[in-house]
Amino acid sequence: MARIPVKLVSWDEIVEWSRGLAELIQKSGWNPDIIVAVSRGGFVPARLLCDFLDVTDLLAVQSQHWVEAAKAAEKAILKYPYQIDAEGKRVLVVDDIVDTGDTIELAREFIKRSWKPAEVRTATLQWISSVAKLKPDYYYLEVKEWTWFQYPWTRLEDVTQFIRRILKEDKRAREGLTRESLEKLFEEWYGVRVSDLGFYWDLAIEKLSRDELIEVSGGIIRPLKGS
Ligand code: ADP
């Protein structure tokens, strides 16, 4: 069992899930005039929904909540609360996943109150029913056991943070690790095969080294102070 359950999500799955989500919306007989992506996680699904649902108006609101992959941070905030006139419009707010539910709720409330559309509905690819405070109006997959979904648009960011976390928290990493032992620890912590990460693995090591969080010398990777 991995310490932190992670599932790598592929681009193909994203397209398939977005298409499934679009079908659910269509079947409900409701059609949005405007799609609003919750930035940044909602961007790709929102753009795909525009294609499947034939919607041309795509906006975004930026909300921030999680600062570190697979680790909860403090409350969600809306970064740029701009105004538009959405009178009479049906608005669909789209995000990748409802985990706590804070982010999408914040976006929905803001849009309702400030843009005053005719109606706001929410749609996400995934809904973690065991932890979420709310259920989106539309979701494609219900997740029962909490998992970190490693979406393809945050692969470098997540892999970098995953490695950092091992180096910070695993005693076995203190004196430095060979590449092979780091890969083994990674698989043990996250249940993800390093060979499935393609070039992202090397990019993450390069980034950590560039940011002076690790030192790579003589085939040994060592955490640096401040990492
Ligand atoms: P929501 O309000 O939609 O439930 P959260 O506030 O829980 O979202 O999380 C904000 C964002 O963090 C999500 O839109 C997603 O991009 C990312 N995120 C949160 N939980 C997960 C997870 N379990 N797997 C992958 N990404 C996640």
Side-chain angles (χ1 to χ4, degrees):
M1 263 295 278
R3 255 197 228 198
I4 299 167
V6 174
K7 170 173 165 34
L8 283 190
V9 180
S10 69
W11 285 109
D12 283 352
E13 280 171 310
I14 293 300
V15 176
E16 192 189 312
W17 298 354
S18 301
R19 177 171 174 228
L21 184 60
E23 274 173 7
L24 291 174
I25 296 165
Q26 261 162 349
K27 280 195 188 125
S28 77
W30 191 79
N31 207 29
D33 303 300
I34 303 174
I35 290 184
V36 180
V38 180
S39 177
R40 294 172 293 169
F43 258 104
V44 175
R47 182 62 187 90
L48 290 169
L49 284 183
C50 283
D51 194 19
F52 292 125
L53 297 173
D54 199 15
V55 171
T56 47
D57 291 5
L58 173 61
L59 304 179
V61 290
Q62 176 133 27
S63 133
Q64 282 191 327
H65 184 189
W66 295 76
V67 289
E68 198 171 316
K71 246 185 139 185
E74 66 296 334
K75 271 188 71 183
I77 52 155
L78 209 61
K79 252 183 133 178
Y80 303 103
Y82 60 93
Q83 298 292 325
I84 64 158
D85 179 7
E87 206 190 314
K89 307 277 191 194
R90 291 180 299 265
V91 174
L92 182 66
V93 180
V94 177
D95 209 346
D96 44 11
I97 190 164
V98 169
D99 187 321
T100 65
D102 288 344
T103 303
I104 204 151
E105 179 58 9
L106 184 78
R108 198 179 66 87
E109 275 308 306
F110 167 75
I111 290 166
K112 235 173 97 178
R113 206 180 49 245
S114 307
W115 297 2
K116 301 190 170 54
E119 199 184 353
V120 187
R121 293 194 187 180
T122 53
T124 62
L125 299 179
Q126 295 176 289
W127 168 52
I128 309 188
S129 55
S130 51
V131 298
K133 293 182 205 112
L134 60 93
K135 182 175 171 178
D137 297 305
Y138 305 97
Y139 61 90
Y140 184 64
L141 295 173
E142 176 179 354
V143 176
K144 295 210 169 116
E145 296 196 4
W146 189 90
T147 303
W148 183 263
F149 292 92
Q150 205 303 291
Y151 297 117
W153 49 80
T154 51
R155 192 137 299 166
L156 181 56
E157 185 183 320
D158 284 0
V159 172
T160 306
Q161 286 178 6
F162 286 160
I163 296 174
R164 251 186 107 172
R165 193 154 170 206
I166 295 175
L167 297 176
K168 228 191 249 175
E169 295 179 23
D170 197 310
K171 280 195 212 111
R172 293 168 288 180
R174 258 180 221 160
E175 303 306 318
L177 296 163
T178 61
R179 274 183 175 257
E180 294 72 44
S181 44
L182 177 60
E183 290 183 17
K184 256 182 90 188
L185 282 189
F186 190 91
E187 300 188 357
E188 189 186 305
W189 267 65
Y190 304 108
V192 166
R193 280 205 308 265
V194 169
S195 56
D196 289 341
L197 298 173
F199 59 66
Y200 283 100
W201 180 259
D202 284 342
L203 284 180
I205 301 280
E206 277 166 28
K207 177 159 173 38
L208 288 165
S209 171
R210 219 174 31 245
D211 293 347
E212 299 182 353
L213 296 168
I214 60 168
E215 179 191 64
V216 188
S217 81
I220 301 291
I221 297 165
R222 280 189 192 81
L224 291 177
K225 287 211 171 62
S227 67

